[in-house]
Amino acid sequence: MRWLTIAAALIMGVLSTKALASNDRQSGVRLCTSMADRMVQPWAENGALLPSYLASKSGGELPRQMQDTAFVYDNALAVMAFIACDQVDHARAIGDAFLAAGLTDRFYKDGRLRNAYRSGPVAQTVALPGWWNDTVNRWTEDAYQISTASGNVAWAALALLQLNERTSDPKYLAGANRLASWLAALDEDDESAGIAGGYYGFEPDAARIAWKSTEHNIDTLAVAQWLWLKTGDAKWQHLAERSLRFLSAMHRDKRHFLVGTDTAGKPVEGADMWLDVQVWPLLVVPAAQLVLPQETMHLLDARFAVAGGYDFNSDRDGLWVEGTAQVALVLAVRGEGARASRLIETILAYADPGSGWLFATPKTQLSTGLSIDAMGEGSAFTYHHWPHLGATAWTVLAAMHFNPFQPN
């Protein structure tokens, strides 16, 4: 009888886990539908982009510079979320917009992407975000939005690789190759290794960013590793090894990563930590070999945990929905499905009733410890209580157990 009781308990545990996973997947599909509802149709053959933030009753109106603005990072996540939900046409629409943007830039001919574009169906030349400024009586653009951060380029490359994996369409692999080649040019092949942050400012005088980001090099490692395995080209092996060397230099105590280096190339040491820099290596191979996953999870709970989830940085002043979804995905792929489901259930409560999208944070404003521009001279970068594409897409990935850094 004792063995029957144990067997029954094991069976009930398996059924409970399966039920949790099923609920998660249903939630993921619902969120995908809410994103698809904002995809303006019919889109042209060049595709379409989703807005990163929406106005809402509880979040209020968006600042003018955020209206109709499609950040590349958020849209790359949306590509993967749509693939995870088997809505491949929507994923292709965004991927096609990335391809068009890289080939038709109003100034640059090196294949780079800007940090943001105007949302909606794209024309033959993909429009950059901007607005008419009545105060100065002229068209205005945001310096960060029209700049290029290397991490955003890497995320677009990952999205194209996911599309190629799903559709076998060679144009997406070719696009990922172009973006990765642009990233490789940011590695000066010196002893310090790693790619630099990108370029900041308006053309033709955009300044090369001297600092290097751990996050950007995690992204680049994933792209290079994937392309190396896909093509066998030794240049991608070289880029992967260089990015991995930088990550090793940013690693401390086999437990956490620094945010990166300053403009003089010195590691940015300090008491503050950032969540995604700790989480993403657990999803990237072979970067995960640098860390002990269980030790990292202990670190996350000790330094980032807040009521219901996790903060953006270690000041623990509020919940970051996107980052909490990232931790949920790590837990899911590590086999801790019940704990992952509890986190997903918590953040699903922070959905905007109107759009169905998840708010970036339940707080009015969430600090990050970072500045809004790439040169560290602007105002503080903060998340707001706005429906956010990135938070919604990351939650889909967690619910569907979809790793954005690897073939699924």
Side-chain angles (χ1 to χ4, degrees), residues 200-233:
Y200 183 80
F202 294 92
E203 69 269 17
D205 301 317
R208 185 180 175 96
I209 299 170
W211 48 256
K212 296 179 180 180
S213 163
T214 301
E215 179 185 309
H216 294 179
N217 279 276
I218 294 169
D219 309 336
T220 301
L221 171 63
V223 172
Q225 176 78 1
W226 195 330
L227 284 171
W228 177 29
L229 294 174
K230 189 84 172 176
T231 68
D233 193 325

PDB file of all heavy atoms in Angstrom, residues 200-233:
ATOM      1  N   TYR A 200      26.231  56.651 -31.153  1.00  0.00           N
ATOM      2  CA  TYR A 200      25.203  57.511 -30.562  1.00  0.00           C
ATOM      3  C   TYR A 200      25.209  58.879 -31.226  1.00  0.00           C
ATOM      4  O   TYR A 200      26.272  59.492 -31.427  1.00  0.00           O
ATOM      5  CB  TYR A 200      25.439  57.686 -29.060  1.00  0.00           C
ATOM      6  CG  TYR A 200      24.368  58.513 -28.391  1.00  0.00           C
ATOM      7  CD1 TYR A 200      23.151  57.953 -28.055  1.00  0.00           C
ATOM      8  CD2 TYR A 200      24.575  59.866 -28.125  1.00  0.00           C
ATOM      9  CE1 TYR A 200      22.149  58.703 -27.453  1.00  0.00           C
ATOM     10  CE2 TYR A 200      23.584  60.630 -27.522  1.00  0.00           C
ATOM     11  CZ  TYR A 200      22.370  60.038 -27.186  1.00  0.00           C
ATOM     12  OH  TYR A 200      21.391  60.792 -26.606  1.00  0.00           O
ATOM     13  N   GLY A 201      24.017  59.358 -31.574  1.00  0.00           N
ATOM     14  CA  GLY A 201      23.880  60.694 -32.117  1.00  0.00           C
ATOM     15  C   GLY A 201      23.385  60.695 -33.552  1.00  0.00           C
ATOM     16  O   GLY A 201      23.165  59.653 -34.179  1.00  0.00           O
ATOM     17  N   PHE A 202      23.224  61.907 -34.070  1.00  0.00           N
ATOM     18  CA  PHE A 202      22.671  62.095 -35.410  1.00  0.00           C
ATOM     19  C   PHE A 202      23.748  61.981 -36.474  1.00  0.00           C
ATOM     20  O   PHE A 202      24.893  62.423 -36.281  1.00  0.00           O
ATOM     21  CB  PHE A 202      21.997  63.464 -35.499  1.00  0.00           C
ATOM     22  CG  PHE A 202      20.782  63.591 -34.614  1.00  0.00           C
ATOM     23  CD1 PHE A 202      20.899  64.095 -33.329  1.00  0.00           C
ATOM     24  CD2 PHE A 202      19.528  63.208 -35.070  1.00  0.00           C
ATOM     25  CE1 PHE A 202      19.782  64.219 -32.508  1.00  0.00           C
ATOM     26  CE2 PHE A 202      18.408  63.323 -34.256  1.00  0.00           C
ATOM     27  CZ  PHE A 202      18.535  63.822 -32.968  1.00  0.00           C
ATOM     28  N   GLU A 203      23.354  61.361 -37.585  1.00  0.00           N
ATOM     29  CA  GLU A 203      24.265  61.316 -38.726  1.00  0.00           C
ATOM     30  C   GLU A 203      24.449  62.717 -39.292  1.00  0.00           C
ATOM     31  O   GLU A 203      23.531  63.535 -39.170  1.00  0.00           O
ATOM     32  CB  GLU A 203      23.705  60.373 -39.805  1.00  0.00           C
ATOM     33  CG  GLU A 203      22.450  60.854 -40.510  1.00  0.00           C
ATOM     34  CD  GLU A 203      21.156  60.397 -39.840  1.00  0.00           C
ATOM     35  OE1 GLU A 203      21.175  59.991 -38.679  1.00  0.00           O
ATOM     36  OE2 GLU A 203      20.112  60.457 -40.516  1.00  0.00           O
ATOM     37  N   PRO A 204      25.599  63.071 -39.851  1.00  0.00           N
ATOM     38  CA  PRO A 204      26.753  62.184 -40.070  1.00  0.00           C
ATOM     39  C   PRO A 204      27.760  62.191 -38.920  1.00  0.00           C
ATOM     40  O   PRO A 204      28.875  61.699 -39.083  1.00  0.00           O
ATOM     41  CB  PRO A 204      27.383  62.796 -41.328  1.00  0.00           C
ATOM     42  CG  PRO A 204      27.141  64.266 -41.154  1.00  0.00           C
ATOM     43  CD  PRO A 204      25.789  64.387 -40.503  1.00  0.00           C
ATOM     44  N   ASP A 205      27.386  62.735 -37.773  1.00  0.00           N
ATOM     45  CA  ASP A 205      28.347  62.935 -36.688  1.00  0.00           C
ATOM     46  C   ASP A 205      28.116  62.003 -35.507  1.00  0.00           C
ATOM     47  O   ASP A 205      28.493  62.327 -34.378  1.00  0.00           O
ATOM     48  CB  ASP A 205      28.285  64.394 -36.198  1.00  0.00           C
ATOM     49  CG  ASP A 205      28.593  65.385 -37.310  1.00  0.00           C
ATOM     50  OD1 ASP A 205      29.549  65.126 -38.075  1.00  0.00           O
ATOM     51  OD2 ASP A 205      27.871  66.388 -37.434  1.00  0.00           O
ATOM     52  N   ALA A 206      27.508  60.865 -35.731  1.00  0.00           N
ATOM     53  CA  ALA A 206      27.296  59.917 -34.635  1.00  0.00           C
ATOM     54  C   ALA A 206      28.643  59.488 -34.061  1.00  0.00           C
ATOM     55  O   ALA A 206      29.591  59.194 -34.792  1.00  0.00           O
ATOM     56  CB  ALA A 206      26.526  58.705 -35.135  1.00  0.00           C
ATOM     57  N   ALA A 207      28.718  59.453 -32.733  1.00  0.00           N
ATOM     58  CA  ALA A 207      29.970  59.122 -32.049  1.00  0.00           C
ATOM     59  C   ALA A 207      30.016  57.631 -31.713  1.00  0.00           C
ATOM     60  O   ALA A 207      29.020  57.050 -31.276  1.00  0.00           O
ATOM     61  CB  ALA A 207      30.106  59.949 -30.774  1.00  0.00           C
ATOM     62  N   ARG A 208      31.173  57.044 -31.905  1.00  0.00           N
ATOM     63  CA  ARG A 208      31.361  55.651 -31.523  1.00  0.00           C
ATOM     64  C   ARG A 208      31.343  55.553 -29.998  1.00  0.00           C
ATOM     65  O   ARG A 208      32.017  56.318 -29.306  1.00  0.00           O
ATOM     66  CB  ARG A 208      32.683  55.115 -32.066  1.00  0.00           C
ATOM     67  CG  ARG A 208      32.901  53.618 -31.816  1.00  0.00           C
ATOM     68  CD  ARG A 208      34.239  53.189 -32.379  1.00  0.00           C
ATOM     69  NE  ARG A 208      34.572  51.810 -32.069  1.00  0.00           N
ATOM     70  CZ  ARG A 208      34.359  50.773 -32.861  1.00  0.00           C
ATOM     71  NH1 ARG A 208      33.788  50.972 -34.034  1.00  0.00           N
ATOM     72  NH2 ARG A 208      34.699  49.545 -32.505  1.00  0.00           N
ATOM     73  N   ILE A 209      30.556  54.620 -29.469  1.00  0.00           N
ATOM     74  CA  ILE A 209      30.460  54.434 -28.024  1.00  0.00           C
ATOM     75  C   ILE A 209      31.660  53.633 -27.553  1.00  0.00           C
ATOM     76  O   ILE A 209      31.912  52.525 -28.045  1.00  0.00           O
ATOM     77  CB  ILE A 209      29.147  53.713 -27.668  1.00  0.00           C
ATOM     78  CG1 ILE A 209      27.946  54.557 -28.121  1.00  0.00           C
ATOM     79  CG2 ILE A 209      29.071  53.421 -26.184  1.00  0.00           C
ATOM     80  CD1 ILE A 209      26.622  53.828 -28.040  1.00  0.00           C
ATOM     81  N   ALA A 210      32.385  54.172 -26.599  1.00  0.00           N
ATOM     82  CA  ALA A 210      33.638  53.542 -26.176  1.00  0.00           C
ATOM     83  C   ALA A 210      33.429  52.436 -25.149  1.00  0.00           C
ATOM     84  O   ALA A 210      34.227  51.498 -25.072  1.00  0.00           O
ATOM     85  CB  ALA A 210      34.586  54.601 -25.619  1.00  0.00           C
ATOM     86  N   TRP A 211      32.386  52.539 -24.319  1.00  0.00           N
ATOM     87  CA  TRP A 211      32.209  51.518 -23.300  1.00  0.00           C
ATOM     88  C   TRP A 211      31.703  50.213 -23.916  1.00  0.00           C
ATOM     89  O   TRP A 211      31.198  50.182 -25.039  1.00  0.00           O
ATOM     90  CB  TRP A 211      31.268  51.982 -22.186  1.00  0.00           C
ATOM     91  CG  TRP A 211      29.961  52.605 -22.612  1.00  0.00           C
ATOM     92  CD1 TRP A 211      29.646  53.924 -22.608  1.00  0.00           C
ATOM     93  CD2 TRP A 211      28.788  51.927 -23.080  1.00  0.00           C
ATOM     94  NE1 TRP A 211      28.354  54.115 -23.042  1.00  0.00           N
ATOM     95  CE2 TRP A 211      27.802  52.914 -23.336  1.00  0.00           C
ATOM     96  CE3 TRP A 211      28.461  50.596 -23.300  1.00  0.00           C
ATOM     97  CZ2 TRP A 211      26.532  52.594 -23.816  1.00  0.00           C
ATOM     98  CZ3 TRP A 211      27.194  50.273 -23.782  1.00  0.00           C
ATOM     99  CH2 TRP A 211      26.250  51.272 -24.029  1.00  0.00           C
ATOM    100  N   LYS A 212      31.872  49.150 -23.139  1.00  0.00           N
ATOM    101  CA  LYS A 212      31.403  47.835 -23.569  1.00  0.00           C
ATOM    102  C   LYS A 212      30.419  47.300 -22.538  1.00  0.00           C
ATOM    103  O   LYS A 212      30.641  47.423 -21.331  1.00  0.00           O
ATOM    104  CB  LYS A 212      32.573  46.866 -23.743  1.00  0.00           C
ATOM    105  CG  LYS A 212      33.541  47.284 -24.841  1.00  0.00           C
ATOM    106  CD  LYS A 212      34.711  46.315 -24.965  1.00  0.00           C
ATOM    107  CE  LYS A 212      35.660  46.757 -26.067  1.00  0.00           C
ATOM    108  NZ  LYS A 212      36.821  45.826 -26.211  1.00  0.00           N
ATOM    109  N   SER A 213      29.358  46.707 -23.027  1.00  0.00           N
ATOM    110  CA  SER A 213      28.282  46.216 -22.179  1.00  0.00           C
ATOM    111  C   SER A 213      28.336  44.695 -22.071  1.00  0.00           C
ATOM    112  O   SER A 213      28.452  43.995 -23.076  1.00  0.00           O
ATOM    113  CB  SER A 213      26.931  46.646 -22.768  1.00  0.00           C
ATOM    114  OG  SER A 213      25.873  45.899 -22.232  1.00  0.00           O
ATOM    115  N   THR A 214      28.224  44.207 -20.856  1.00  0.00           N
ATOM    116  CA  THR A 214      28.127  42.757 -20.658  1.00  0.00           C
ATOM    117  C   THR A 214      26.894  42.219 -21.365  1.00  0.00           C
ATOM    118  O   THR A 214      26.944  41.178 -22.038  1.00  0.00           O
ATOM    119  CB  THR A 214      28.069  42.437 -19.161  1.00  0.00           C
ATOM    120  OG1 THR A 214      29.244  42.948 -18.526  1.00  0.00           O
ATOM    121  CG2 THR A 214      27.980  40.934 -18.917  1.00  0.00           C
ATOM    122  N   GLU A 215      25.786  42.929 -21.223  1.00  0.00           N
ATOM    123  CA  GLU A 215      24.541  42.502 -21.863  1.00  0.00           C
ATOM    124  C   GLU A 215      24.710  42.388 -23.373  1.00  0.00           C
ATOM    125  O   GLU A 215      24.307  41.399 -23.989  1.00  0.00           O
ATOM    126  CB  GLU A 215      23.435  43.490 -21.524  1.00  0.00           C
ATOM    127  CG  GLU A 215      22.097  43.176 -22.154  1.00  0.00           C
ATOM    128  CD  GLU A 215      21.072  44.267 -21.886  1.00  0.00           C
ATOM    129  OE1 GLU A 215      20.910  44.648 -20.710  1.00  0.00           O
ATOM    130  OE2 GLU A 215      20.457  44.740 -22.855  1.00  0.00           O
ATOM    131  N   HIS A 216      25.305  43.386 -24.001  1.00  0.00           N
ATOM    132  CA  HIS A 216      25.494  43.361 -25.450  1.00  0.00           C
ATOM    133  C   HIS A 216      26.358  42.180 -25.874  1.00  0.00           C
ATOM    134  O   HIS A 216      26.134  41.576 -26.936  1.00  0.00           O
ATOM    135  CB  HIS A 216      26.145  44.656 -25.930  1.00  0.00           C
ATOM    136  CG  HIS A 216      25.278  45.857 -25.752  1.00  0.00           C
ATOM    137  ND1 HIS A 216      25.699  47.126 -26.106  1.00  0.00           N
ATOM    138  CD2 HIS A 216      24.023  46.006 -25.269  1.00  0.00           C
ATOM    139  CE1 HIS A 216      24.735  47.995 -25.835  1.00  0.00           C
ATOM    140  NE2 HIS A 216      23.710  47.333 -25.315  1.00  0.00           N
ATOM    141  N   ASN A 217      27.353  41.851 -25.072  1.00  0.00           N
ATOM    142  CA  ASN A 217      28.235  40.741 -25.427  1.00  0.00           C
ATOM    143  C   ASN A 217      27.588  39.384 -25.176  1.00  0.00           C
ATOM    144  O   ASN A 217      27.919  38.411 -25.860  1.00  0.00           O
ATOM    145  CB  ASN A 217      29.564  40.887 -24.694  1.00  0.00           C
ATOM    146  CG  ASN A 217      30.496  41.860 -25.389  1.00  0.00           C
ATOM    147  OD1 ASN A 217      31.206  41.508 -26.322  1.00  0.00           O
ATOM    148  ND2 ASN A 217      30.475  43.114 -24.954  1.00  0.00           N
ATOM    149  N   ILE A 218      26.667  39.305 -24.226  1.00  0.00           N
ATOM    150  CA  ILE A 218      25.871  38.084 -24.087  1.00  0.00           C
ATOM    151  C   ILE A 218      25.057  37.861 -25.358  1.00  0.00           C
ATOM    152  O   ILE A 218      25.019  36.758 -25.921  1.00  0.00           O
ATOM    153  CB  ILE A 218      24.933  38.189 -22.868  1.00  0.00           C
ATOM    154  CG1 ILE A 218      25.735  38.243 -21.569  1.00  0.00           C
ATOM    155  CG2 ILE A 218      23.952  37.005 -22.833  1.00  0.00           C
ATOM    156  CD1 ILE A 218      24.886  38.620 -20.360  1.00  0.00           C
ATOM    157  N   ASP A 219      24.396  38.926 -25.830  1.00  0.00           N
ATOM    158  CA  ASP A 219      23.589  38.841 -27.052  1.00  0.00           C
ATOM    159  C   ASP A 219      24.441  38.433 -28.247  1.00  0.00           C
ATOM    160  O   ASP A 219      24.043  37.578 -29.051  1.00  0.00           O
ATOM    161  CB  ASP A 219      22.924  40.191 -27.344  1.00  0.00           C
ATOM    162  CG  ASP A 219      22.188  40.761 -26.152  1.00  0.00           C
ATOM    163  OD1 ASP A 219      21.783  39.983 -25.269  1.00  0.00           O
ATOM    164  OD2 ASP A 219      22.043  42.005 -26.086  1.00  0.00           O
ATOM    165  N   THR A 220      25.607  39.067 -28.362  1.00  0.00           N
ATOM    166  CA  THR A 220      26.486  38.796 -29.499  1.00  0.00           C
ATOM    167  C   THR A 220      27.023  37.377 -29.452  1.00  0.00           C
ATOM    168  O   THR A 220      27.154  36.713 -30.493  1.00  0.00           O
ATOM    169  CB  THR A 220      27.638  39.809 -29.522  1.00  0.00           C
ATOM    170  OG1 THR A 220      27.091  41.133 -29.626  1.00  0.00           O
ATOM    171  CG2 THR A 220      28.570  39.562 -30.690  1.00  0.00           C
ATOM    172  N   LEU A 221      27.352  36.890 -28.264  1.00  0.00           N
ATOM    173  CA  LEU A 221      27.795  35.503 -28.120  1.00  0.00           C
ATOM    174  C   LEU A 221      26.734  34.549 -28.651  1.00  0.00           C
ATOM    175  O   LEU A 221      27.043  33.606 -29.388  1.00  0.00           O
ATOM    176  CB  LEU A 221      28.101  35.196 -26.655  1.00  0.00           C
ATOM    177  CG  LEU A 221      28.362  33.727 -26.317  1.00  0.00           C
ATOM    178  CD1 LEU A 221      29.599  33.214 -27.051  1.00  0.00           C
ATOM    179  CD2 LEU A 221      28.523  33.529 -24.819  1.00  0.00           C
ATOM    180  N   ALA A 222      25.478  34.801 -28.298  1.00  0.00           N
ATOM    181  CA  ALA A 222      24.403  33.925 -28.760  1.00  0.00           C
ATOM    182  C   ALA A 222      24.294  33.937 -30.284  1.00  0.00           C
ATOM    183  O   ALA A 222      24.148  32.889 -30.920  1.00  0.00           O
ATOM    184  CB  ALA A 222      23.082  34.352 -28.130  1.00  0.00           C
ATOM    185  N   VAL A 223      24.382  35.130 -30.882  1.00  0.00           N
ATOM    186  CA  VAL A 223      24.310  35.242 -32.345  1.00  0.00           C
ATOM    187  C   VAL A 223      25.479  34.525 -33.002  1.00  0.00           C
ATOM    188  O   VAL A 223      25.301  33.731 -33.943  1.00  0.00           O
ATOM    189  CB  VAL A 223      24.283  36.725 -32.762  1.00  0.00           C
ATOM    190  CG1 VAL A 223      24.406  36.849 -34.283  1.00  0.00           C
ATOM    191  CG2 VAL A 223      23.012  37.403 -32.282  1.00  0.00           C
ATOM    192  N   ALA A 224      26.689  34.800 -32.517  1.00  0.00           N
ATOM    193  CA  ALA A 224      27.888  34.223 -33.130  1.00  0.00           C
ATOM    194  C   ALA A 224      27.915  32.707 -32.987  1.00  0.00           C
ATOM    195  O   ALA A 224      28.272  31.983 -33.932  1.00  0.00           O
ATOM    196  CB  ALA A 224      29.142  34.846 -32.506  1.00  0.00           C
ATOM    197  N   GLN A 225      27.539  32.218 -31.816  1.00  0.00           N
ATOM    198  CA  GLN A 225      27.501  30.779 -31.596  1.00  0.00           C
ATOM    199  C   GLN A 225      26.520  30.111 -32.547  1.00  0.00           C
ATOM    200  O   GLN A 225      26.806  29.074 -33.149  1.00  0.00           O
ATOM    201  CB  GLN A 225      27.105  30.498 -30.139  1.00  0.00           C
ATOM    202  CG  GLN A 225      26.935  29.037 -29.788  1.00  0.00           C
ATOM    203  CD  GLN A 225      28.240  28.305 -29.583  1.00  0.00           C
ATOM    204  OE1 GLN A 225      29.307  28.895 -29.679  1.00  0.00           O
ATOM    205  NE2 GLN A 225      28.149  27.022 -29.308  1.00  0.00           N
ATOM    206  N   TRP A 226      25.366  30.715 -32.712  1.00  0.00           N
ATOM    207  CA  TRP A 226      24.340  30.157 -33.598  1.00  0.00           C
ATOM    208  C   TRP A 226      24.823  30.138 -35.048  1.00  0.00           C
ATOM    209  O   TRP A 226      24.698  29.130 -35.755  1.00  0.00           O
ATOM    210  CB  TRP A 226      23.074  30.997 -33.462  1.00  0.00           C
ATOM    211  CG  TRP A 226      21.825  30.383 -34.008  1.00  0.00           C
ATOM    212  CD1 TRP A 226      21.700  29.506 -35.038  1.00  0.00           C
ATOM    213  CD2 TRP A 226      20.492  30.610 -33.523  1.00  0.00           C
ATOM    214  NE1 TRP A 226      20.379  29.188 -35.246  1.00  0.00           N
ATOM    215  CE2 TRP A 226      19.626  29.838 -34.328  1.00  0.00           C
ATOM    216  CE3 TRP A 226      19.955  31.397 -32.518  1.00  0.00           C
ATOM    217  CZ2 TRP A 226      18.240  29.842 -34.153  1.00  0.00           C
ATOM    218  CZ3 TRP A 226      18.576  31.399 -32.335  1.00  0.00           C
ATOM    219  CH2 TRP A 226      17.730  30.630 -33.137  1.00  0.00           C
ATOM    220  N   LEU A 227      25.403  31.267 -35.493  1.00  0.00           N
ATOM    221  CA  LEU A 227      25.878  31.334 -36.880  1.00  0.00           C
ATOM    222  C   LEU A 227      27.045  30.377 -37.129  1.00  0.00           C
ATOM    223  O   LEU A 227      27.165  29.807 -38.213  1.00  0.00           O
ATOM    224  CB  LEU A 227      26.290  32.770 -37.214  1.00  0.00           C
ATOM    225  CG  LEU A 227      25.140  33.745 -37.460  1.00  0.00           C
ATOM    226  CD1 LEU A 227      25.658  35.164 -37.565  1.00  0.00           C
ATOM    227  CD2 LEU A 227      24.367  33.364 -38.724  1.00  0.00           C
ATOM    228  N   TRP A 228      27.889  30.223 -36.131  1.00  0.00           N
ATOM    229  CA  TRP A 228      29.005  29.284 -36.262  1.00  0.00           C
ATOM    230  C   TRP A 228      28.480  27.859 -36.453  1.00  0.00           C
ATOM    231  O   TRP A 228      28.920  27.127 -37.357  1.00  0.00           O
ATOM    232  CB  TRP A 228      29.899  29.401 -35.037  1.00  0.00           C
ATOM    233  CG  TRP A 228      31.054  28.440 -34.993  1.00  0.00           C
ATOM    234  CD1 TRP A 228      31.717  27.892 -36.059  1.00  0.00           C
ATOM    235  CD2 TRP A 228      31.691  27.918 -33.826  1.00  0.00           C
ATOM    236  NE1 TRP A 228      32.725  27.072 -35.631  1.00  0.00           N
ATOM    237  CE2 TRP A 228      32.723  27.060 -34.265  1.00  0.00           C
ATOM    238  CE3 TRP A 228      31.488  28.094 -32.461  1.00  0.00           C
ATOM    239  CZ2 TRP A 228      33.557  26.386 -33.367  1.00  0.00           C
ATOM    240  CZ3 TRP A 228      32.313  27.424 -31.573  1.00  0.00           C
ATOM    241  CH2 TRP A 228      33.330  26.576 -32.025  1.00  0.00           C
ATOM    242  N   LEU A 229      27.524  27.462 -35.625  1.00  0.00           N
ATOM    243  CA  LEU A 229      26.956  26.125 -35.750  1.00  0.00           C
ATOM    244  C   LEU A 229      26.183  25.972 -37.054  1.00  0.00           C
ATOM    245  O   LEU A 229      26.145  24.896 -37.644  1.00  0.00           O
ATOM    246  CB  LEU A 229      26.036  25.841 -34.563  1.00  0.00           C
ATOM    247  CG  LEU A 229      26.718  25.745 -33.196  1.00  0.00           C
ATOM    248  CD1 LEU A 229      25.688  25.609 -32.088  1.00  0.00           C
ATOM    249  CD2 LEU A 229      27.693  24.569 -33.170  1.00  0.00           C
ATOM    250  N   LYS A 230      25.570  27.066 -37.528  1.00  0.00           N
ATOM    251  CA  LYS A 230      24.740  27.014 -38.723  1.00  0.00           C
ATOM    252  C   LYS A 230      25.578  26.991 -40.005  1.00  0.00           C
ATOM    253  O   LYS A 230      25.233  26.295 -40.972  1.00  0.00           O
ATOM    254  CB  LYS A 230      23.821  28.238 -38.740  1.00  0.00           C
ATOM    255  CG  LYS A 230      22.748  28.228 -39.813  1.00  0.00           C
ATOM    256  CD  LYS A 230      21.537  27.455 -39.362  1.00  0.00           C
ATOM    257  CE  LYS A 230      20.390  27.585 -40.332  1.00  0.00           C
ATOM    258  NZ  LYS A 230      19.242  26.758 -39.932  1.00  0.00           N
ATOM    259  N   THR A 231      26.669  27.773 -40.018  1.00  0.00           N
ATOM    260  CA  THR A 231      27.430  27.950 -41.251  1.00  0.00           C
ATOM    261  C   THR A 231      28.809  27.311 -41.221  1.00  0.00           C
ATOM    262  O   THR A 231      29.403  27.074 -42.282  1.00  0.00           O
ATOM    263  CB  THR A 231      27.606  29.449 -41.550  1.00  0.00           C
ATOM    264  OG1 THR A 231      28.474  30.042 -40.567  1.00  0.00           O
ATOM    265  CG2 THR A 231      26.259  30.166 -41.532  1.00  0.00           C
ATOM    266  N   GLY A 232      29.363  27.086 -40.031  1.00  0.00           N
ATOM    267  CA  GLY A 232      30.721  26.565 -39.937  1.00  0.00           C
ATOM    268  C   GLY A 232      31.791  27.582 -40.241  1.00  0.00           C
ATOM    269  O   GLY A 232      32.978  27.240 -40.315  1.00  0.00           O
ATOM    270  N   ASP A 233      31.406  28.854 -40.400  1.00  0.00           N
ATOM    271  CA  ASP A 233      32.362  29.906 -40.740  1.00  0.00           C
ATOM    272  C   ASP A 233      33.188  30.261 -39.505  1.00  0.00           C
ATOM    273  O   ASP A 233      32.647  30.624 -38.452  1.00  0.00           O
ATOM    274  CB  ASP A 233      31.609  31.139 -41.235  1.00  0.00           C
ATOM    275  CG  ASP A 233      32.525  32.155 -41.900  1.00  0.00           C
ATOM    276  OD1 ASP A 233      33.681  32.299 -41.462  1.00  0.00           O
ATOM    277  OD2 ASP A 233      32.065  32.823 -42.845  1.00  0.00           O
TER     278      ASP A 233
END
